[in-house]
Every structure is written in C-alpha cells, then in structure tokens.
C-alpha cells in the first residue's frame, strides 16, 4: 500500500492522489442497487494522458487492479471499486479540445460532461445527440464506457454511432490510437467500437473524436392516453411500420403515470394504463404529429393531446423525465432493468412485466424508450425487508429472462457491469464468452482492468 | 490434395466442390490491379451453414488456408486466392430470410446481392442505404467484409452502421452469434463491428441482421461547374459547415469530366476543372438545392444547373457513374486509390494529387465522395510498360502518404486487402498492429483465414 502510493506520486501530483479512507470510500460505487463494491486503496484524479500512463504502468508493475470512473451515474455497478484497487477517476480531464464545424467533429477529454459538450456544440449550430437521463452529470468517457443511449436514440442512434476515434491507455501503459477523424475509414479492425461499451475492462479512454450533427429544429410533441399497454405498444408498432421518424417515442405505464401525478400534480388522467409521448423535429412536425395521432386513435387511444409549441412540448416531456424521481417515492430502493426487445414484442414484454410484478408481489413501474423496444422496468422495494429484497432480485432476473425469451437483450443501454455478469454469459452463449474472454486477455493479460465487470 | 477433396466431400455435395484447374483459376482474384494472387486447390460453394462449418473443420484439421469470397468486385485484393487454398465462395447462400417492417430489419444470407436486398426492401417502403458502385453485383457478405460505402454515405453512413447482428463460422468450425436484432444493445464487447471490415480474416459470416430505413423521397440534384478543384472543395466545406444534409455530394475533376464527355457525349463543359454534384431527398429539395447553389456561386462556380425533376437528376448522376468506365478508356489498366481525409483538407488532397500526377508523368483522374472527404484518385497506366507500371505503383503510394499526412486514412471504403497491407502498418502504428494481430490470433490461432490480407 505504501509502495503503491509512493510509486504513484512519482508521476502524479499529490493533489491528484486521494488516500483518506473517508474520501476514497465515497468513490466506491455508482448508482446500481445490489452490485457489490469494495474499498479502494487510493483514488487518482489525473489531469494528463502522461499521468494516466504512469498510473497504468504502476498498476501493472505492482499488479494492482484499476477501476476507471466517470461521474458514477451508471446503473450496473461497472464503476464499483474492488478491495485494494486504484480508482482512476477521469473527471478532471474535462477539456473540450476542439469543435470543428466543417468536419462536424469534437475532440474531447473523457471527463467532459455530456451536457457541456452539447452546449458547446450548440454554439456552432451543431449537436451531440446521445442524451442519457443523467446528461447534466455523466461524462463522455462514461458514455463511451457504457455505450450510453437516451431519449433521442429512436431517431439518432446511440453513443457508438458517434465515436469516430479514441486514444486509449492500455493496461501496461502503452498508448493506442484507434479510428479516425474522417467521415469514413476501414483501415484494419474496428477497435474504436470494441472499446465503446467495454465498461473500462480493455483500456482507459483518454481522448475521443466524436461526430456532431447539425442541430435539428425544436421538437413538437404529443401525448396519447391508452386504456392498456397492449394498445400503446400496437400504436408504437404502427408508427414505426408506417415509416415515421419520431425524435422520441416514449412510454410510461399506469404505475409510473400515477407516481408522476402524485409527485408533480401534472393532472395526468389517473385511469390511464399507458401514456405515449411522441415528438418530431422534422420540417413539418405538426403534420407528422397529426399522422401519429390518427394511428394512436386507431390503436385505441382514449385521448390525444398535441402540444401547441416547443415550450408546451417541453412541459409534456417533463412528465417523462420525472418518472424515476416519482417512482423513487414509492419505495426506499429501486432496481432498474434495461431489457430491449424487438419492437414487435414490446406488448408481450409489458404484459410479462405485469405478470412478474403480480407473481412476486412487488410494484414494478415501467418507462420505456418504446420506439426502440427498450424498456426500463423499475422494481420498487425496501432493502430493510429481506423477503422483499430477495423477491426484488428474483423479479429483476425474471425480467431479463423474459427479454431473452422474446429475442431481446439484457441491456439496451445501461451495460452489464457487476450486476448482470451471470446474465451476460446466458445471452452470449459459451462460444461468445470464450471469444470475448480471449479478446480481454489480449488487451489486459493480467486481468487488472475493472475485474468483476462483464465476466 | 486428394485427402482435402475427400474430406470436403464428406460434408459438402459434389456439385458444390469445384476442382477443374481452369474453373478454379477463374476464382483466383478480385478487381484489384497489382495485388498478388495464387492458385486455389479447390473452390467450395456451400449452400448451408452446416456445410460452411464442415469446410472450416476440414481446413483446420488439414491446416489448409481458406479465402472467403463474395462477388469478387473488391478493389484491394482481399478476395485473392493463395496457392493451395480453399476458396470459400458464399455466392450461393443468397436467400433473404426475412424482412420485418416493424423492426425495420432484414435477415439475409451472405450471398444476397446488394441490389436484390434494396429491391426487396422497397416492397415494404424501406431501403438498405449502403450503395457501393458495384451494387448490382456485390454481395452483403462482401459489403460486410470490406465495410463498403457508396454515394449515399454522406447522409446515411456506411455498411457498419447497418449491421446489427451476425452469425459467424469461426476458423475451427464453431458457430458464433454476435449482436442482436433489437434497435439497441450493449451486452458485452461489440463483436459485430469487429467482423465488419475484417476482410474475411476473423471468420465466415453466414447470416446477418441488417437495419433498414424508411425509403426517402426521390432525390433532386444539381450540377455546379468550377474553374478549380480548390473552389469546388471550398464549396463542399461551405455546404457542410452550413448544416446541410445532402443525400450525395460528389466531385469529378477535369480529367474525369473530359473522359466522361469523350465516352458519352454528355455535353459537359470541357473547360471545367471540377464538377460538383449535390442532391437532396428532403421534404423540400428545391429549397435546399437553391441554398447550395448560392454557396457554390459564392465559392466561384461558373455555372450551376439544377435538375427540374427526379428523372433529370438521374441523368446528372449518370455522369458520375460513368467516371470509371470513362477513365478505363484512357489506359489499359487503372489503380484506384481510396484515401479519405478530413473534409476541410479536401482541397489540399486534390492539389496534392495534381502534383503527384505531374511528378510521375501519369494521368490521374479523381472522382470523390466529396462530402465525406473520400477521394478516389485513379492512376491510369499501361502494365506492358515497366517504367510506367513502377511509376503507377509509386504514385499510388504517394497518394496514400499524402492522405496520412493530411490526417486521413489510406482507405475510406475499399479496404486494405493484399494491396495496402504495408500501409496499414504505417497508419496503425506499432501498438495498433500488435493489438490487431493479438485479436486475429484469438479468432484464428492457426492463421488459416485469408492469410496475406491486412497483415
């Protein structure tokens, strides 16, 4: 331990090395309930690539595990410390190095906050689309690590689609550049994409070239109320089948709607069993919304309310954004699932979650990026009640099993982390796990990078 | 050799196994000039996944190299045989297994021709955007192998963006499933993207889930004539900087324009030094074209001609499509480069190619996916002239060196193959090559898959 600190201080200023146990303990975990976490030996907050390389060289020399962290807003425990590890927080490497409106790229350090990049891009008439709910806090490095999504993905895709090139410090301290800053490029294997979503298990991202897009017009939204989730899911399928390109298409089930109502007194109808929010940022959003409204009505919507303008649209979306805070008031703890199913199976997924909630005697609210088939069933439980806690974990697992059964994945955007590693093996199968472990061994032969995450 | 054939026939029907040397020789190479090619021992054309697995098990047992092939329209020698290899042609695995308009995906076998998929998707109001010039011949498997691009990429991206999941037969015959058919998914490392662009060196793709998009409206085009490539490149940068989203933005230099004129008597102005083609498939393409026309004029265009309708637009694009056939008339052989540079460096790239053509005393015509910064300098030479042939190869290399110097890549969409493997090492650097070789070794420890390609 003393040797570790001494060696670290040879290449990293003392102000960047935290050893007070009270302080280091505060870096022990992200936002995932149930994921195990240990006590870090030290927290290092480097400011330069060279400092990161020094940390990794030291870790390799002394065989100390390293857990990289962004803003610790993750929901799968991928940023959780292991006992005696170095927590390597990239939060202070937070400079936007360049925004180029001709190439439509930004070059950023990993600690740049998602919203900070979006705002900086807006100054050039551009935007960085991926918008996880934690966008005011989460970092681009963390987004890359988890392959983060958000509300806009149904039209604009996920983080992976926007990462063009990376600088990565490998486990032994070597610096690897991947990808490009050009619009296209196919020189060799796509290592950039290999690092996106690798949850800090293959290397430390220290710089990223990300693609920006022209900022779209403000979006116009509608809200549609349905008497059942089945009807709402049918509307989602109809919208997508007709070739519409909504900029968001979100669903809240009755439990979530009532919780939001209780929290914010938004006057949402208590009898609604599913609320659908659709928005368009097209040239004529009102026309697109009218077409979607007709499809909602045909699918059984009891009421469809289009927003008059962008400000009113923002108000409608507020309800969706309050889903988690509202559900948080129903129980002391939440376990948030992230199953993504083929869009056509969304109705089956939502029905299945109701059955699971009944079987385990728990409240499970669902909000979903419905246009992507990406559901977030939120299991509400009291961790002080052992039986309830066990049932929460079992229902969480049952939801993933259902997702796989319906041809889906255990994680659409939150990642595997420490929370779902057994389930990853189920999804990938034996050959898949073998190949993935083989690739891990090439990049991290000593197994020092984020051990216990993914595998 | 006899043992190889006997073992192959234990799991593959005789009609799928070709051994006549005249026939097998016709499978020896793709469309790349200069790339070396050997004589295959046998050509196998399997129809089922199980047959592919049998071929790979046999190859592994007998340590015989395997070269996978699609339509052999590639331009980098990645489908070229090595002496004594098994050529594994996927051309007969050509079924479209499913098109799902709700999930907006197609499930296809690797031998499906790109245009066949596009046409099948059109029947559902959908499209498969990647559109390499060889789209009437090339296969989806080949497109995945090379990470193919096309004209539409400036708006719709490349093949990699559309591949969601793969079934891959590994070198030892194991079957690996990667990715998903859902809109999102981040379970484990992105092996799907690892295989896209891997040029048959990591495994044999036997099934793919690809994303489809709603078919856009017909595009409307304009053509703008410039007195210099510098002016045309400036117009390209202005168009992209202003946030326009053209569905194509192509450039032809004076050499190419004059060659097309000679071939097709299209009445293009002989004095033009650069022709820019822009198209929009937006809600109001005429308005977008008017804005682009103004930017072209401001950048120095001497004439801007908008098409009146979709049919006239198609006619304008015809000139671009004739570029290669036209340049083919200038010399017995062509060497087609594929350098992609940051958009802002396009003008420097085009100037540099002129200087290289002068230095080596050769005709080099350039057509470019200008909106992506992806240039195709086409070196015209006579292979019967040893001096000219040497200079052609040297100029081809000089163009790649210039691309790297300008912050670009040696290949935007054609791949590395056997033609550019030395240049791949230059682009990736030592650490990059070591990591890529390590990954290759995990998936193909005996080095049987397409040896001599990439590395």
């Amino acid at each position: 331990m003393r040797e570790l600190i001494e060696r670290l201080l040879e290449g990293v200023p003392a102000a960047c090395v935290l050893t007070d146990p009270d302080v280091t303990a505060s870096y022990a975990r992200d936002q995932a309930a149930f994921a195990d976490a240990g006590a870090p030996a030290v927290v290092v907050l480097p400011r330069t690539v060279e400092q990161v390389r020094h940390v990794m060289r030291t870790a390799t020399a002394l065989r100390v595990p390293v857990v990289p962290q962004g803003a610790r807003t993750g929901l799968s425990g991928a940023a959780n410390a292991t006992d005696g590890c170095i927590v390597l927080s990239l939060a202070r490497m937070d400079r936007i190095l360049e925004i180029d409106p001709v190439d439509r790229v930004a070059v950023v350090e990993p600690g740049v906050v998602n919203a900070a990049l979006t705002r900086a891009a807006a100054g050039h008439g551009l935007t960085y689309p991926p918008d996880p709910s934690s966008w005011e806090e989460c970092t681009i490095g963390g987004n890359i690590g988890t392959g983060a999504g958000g509300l806009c993905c149904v039209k604009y895709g996920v983080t992976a689609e926007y990462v063009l090139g990376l600088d990565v410090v490998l486990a032994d301290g070597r610096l690897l550049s991947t990808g490009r800053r050009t619009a296209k490029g196919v020189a060799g294997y796509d290592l950039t994409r290999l690092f996106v979503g690798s949850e800090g298990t293959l290397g430390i991202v220290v710089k990223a070239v990300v693609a920006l897009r022209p900022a779209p017009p403000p979006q116009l939204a509608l809200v549609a109320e349905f008497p059942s989730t089945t009807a709402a899911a049918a509307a989602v399928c109809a919208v997508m089948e007709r070739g519409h390109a909504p900029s968001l298409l979100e669903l809240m089930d009755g439990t979530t709607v009532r919780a939001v109502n209780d929290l914010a007194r938004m006057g949402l109808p208590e009898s609604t069993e599913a609320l659908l929010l659709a928005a368009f940022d097209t040239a004529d959003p009102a026309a697109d919304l009218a077409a979607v409204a007709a499809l909602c009505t045909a699918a059984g919507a009891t009421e469809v309310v289009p927003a008059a303008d962008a400000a009113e649209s923002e108000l409608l979306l507020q309800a969706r954004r309050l889903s988690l805070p509202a559900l948080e008031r129903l129980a002391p703890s939440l376990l948030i699932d992230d199953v993504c199913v083929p869009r056509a199976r969304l109705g089956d997924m939502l029905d299945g979650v109701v059955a699971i909630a009944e079987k385990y005697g728990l409240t499970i609210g669902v909000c979903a990026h419905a246009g992507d088939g990406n559901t977030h069933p939120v299991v509400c439980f009291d961790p002080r009640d052992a039986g309830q806690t066990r049932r929460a974990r079992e229902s969480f697992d049952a939801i993933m099993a259902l997702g796989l059964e319906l041809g889906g994945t255990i994680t659409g955007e939150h990642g595997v982390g420490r929370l779902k590693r057994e389930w990853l093996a189920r999804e990938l199968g034996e050959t898949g796990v073998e190949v993935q472990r083989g690739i891990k061994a090439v990049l991290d032969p000593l197994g020092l990078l984020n051990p216990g995450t993914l595998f």
Side-chain angles (χ1 to χ4, degrees), chain A:
Chain A
M1 170 76 178
R2 187 195 289 174
E3 188 188 1
L4 171 62
I5 307 301
E6 280 170 6
R7 294 276 287 266
L8 285 171
L9 288 171
E10 287 167 15
V12 180
C16 302
V17 179
L18 313 179
T19 53
D20 178 338
D22 287 345
V23 175
T24 59
S26 70
Y27 285 82
R29 53 167 58 251
D30 63 18
Q31 302 292 316
F34 279 140
D36 50 314
V42 55
V43 174
V44 185
L45 292 126
R47 289 192 179 274
T48 69
V49 173
E50 208 36 63
Q51 289 170 7
V52 175
R53 298 185 70 180
H54 178 76
V55 171
M56 291 315 304
R57 279 190 216 106
T58 305
T60 288
L62 303 180
R63 305 290 195 266
V64 179
V66 174
V67 175
Q69 289 184 347
R72 283 181 288 118
T73 51
L75 293 165
S76 66
N80 283 13
T82 54
D83 279 332
C85 78
I86 301 169
V87 160
L88 183 57
S89 169
L90 285 308
R92 287 189 193 164
M93 290 178 69
D94 62 353
R95 290 177 304 161
I96 296 174
L97 302 172
E98 190 189 345
I99 290 184
D100 183 330
V102 173
D103 287 328
R104 291 183 187 167
V105 297
V107 184
V108 300
E109 290 185 333
V112 169
V113 169
N114 181 298
L117 175 57
T118 306
R119 286 192 197 103
H124 300 268
L126 296 166
T127 191
Y128 176 70
D131 59 346
S133 300
S134 56
W135 73 304
E136 289 281 9
E137 297 166 75
C138 65
T139 63
I140 299 298
N143 295 170
I144 291 171
T146 55
L151 300 190
C152 76
C153 302
V154 65
K155 181 164 183 180
Y156 295 108
V158 295
T159 296
E161 254 96 59
Y162 292 89
V163 186
L164 301 179
L166 295 172
D167 280 3
V168 181
V169 174
L170 300 181
D172 57 11
R174 282 179 301 166
L175 184 63
L176 171 71
S177 283
T178 74
R180 54 185 210 274
R181 74 171 277 159
T182 52
K184 293 155 82 178
V186 289
Y189 304 136
D190 189 344
L191 297 186
T192 306
R193 285 299 193 102
L194 191 62
F195 284 102
V196 176
S198 66
E199 304 188 5
T201 64
L202 298 180
I204 312 293
V205 170
V206 290
K207 194 169 90 175
V209 183
V210 298
L212 304 173
R213 291 182 65 100
Q219 59 186 1
L220 206 60
L222 67 69
V223 60
E225 299 162 25
F226 291 86
S228 70
T229 51
T230 308
V236 168
C237 290
V239 168
M240 299 308 282
E241 188 169 15
R242 297 298 174 91
H244 292 289
S247 51
L248 67 81
L249 188 51
E250 295 287 315
L251 181 146
M252 296 158 64
D253 73 350
T255 302
T256 309
V257 168
R258 285 182 283 277
V260 169
N261 245 0
D262 285 349
L263 172 66
R265 320 239 161 266
M266 298 191 82
L268 302 171
E270 292 279 324
S271 60
T272 294
E273 284 309 319
L275 208 65
L276 209 59
L277 284 153
F280 286 87
D281 58 7
T282 47
D284 188 356
D288 289 314
L289 285 180
V292 166
L295 293 171
C296 287
T297 303
T302 48
E303 193 160 8
V304 182
V305 184
D309 52 30
E312 213 176 294
S313 297
E314 217 14 72
L315 219 61
L316 293 181
L317 300 187
Q318 197 57 23
R320 168 66 182 86
R321 295 218 182 83
L322 287 175
S323 297
L324 266 193
L327 290 169
E328 267 168 4
R329 287 161 40 112
L330 300 188
S333 200
L334 302 181
L335 195 48
I336 305 170
D337 240 315
D338 177 38
V339 167
C340 189
V341 294
R343 206 172 276 140
R345 308 307 298 273
L346 182 62
D348 297 332
M349 186 69 209
L350 296 170
D351 285 348
V353 171
V354 171
I356 290 167
E358 275 169 19
K359 177 176 172 188
Y360 292 97
L362 291 169
T363 298
I364 304 181
V366 181
C367 46
H369 310 307
D372 286 324
N374 190 182
T375 65
H376 292 313
V378 180
V379 182
C380 305
F381 71 103
D382 185 344
R384 292 159 304 189
D385 178 333
Q388 211 177 100
T389 303
R390 183 181 43 74
R391 283 181 283 126
R393 177 76 221 198
E394 284 171 7
S395 64
F396 183 75
D397 287 352
I399 288 165
M400 286 192 280
L402 175 62
L404 290 181
E405 206 180 293
L406 294 174
T409 170
I410 57 166
T411 174
E413 57 182 12
H414 293 169
V416 172
R418 306 171 78 81
L419 193 58
K420 301 173 213 160
R421 59 190 174 214
E422 287 149 41
W423 285 89
L424 179 65
R426 278 179 72 157
E427 177 163 338
L428 296 182
E430 197 183 331
T431 302
V433 169
E434 279 170 29
V435 171
Q436 300 227 348
R437 280 182 181 276
I439 288 169
K440 162 82 172 171
V442 169
L443 283 148
D444 181 22
L446 300 173
L448 299 178
L449 283 166
N450 218 358
T453 281
L454 288 185
F455 305 113

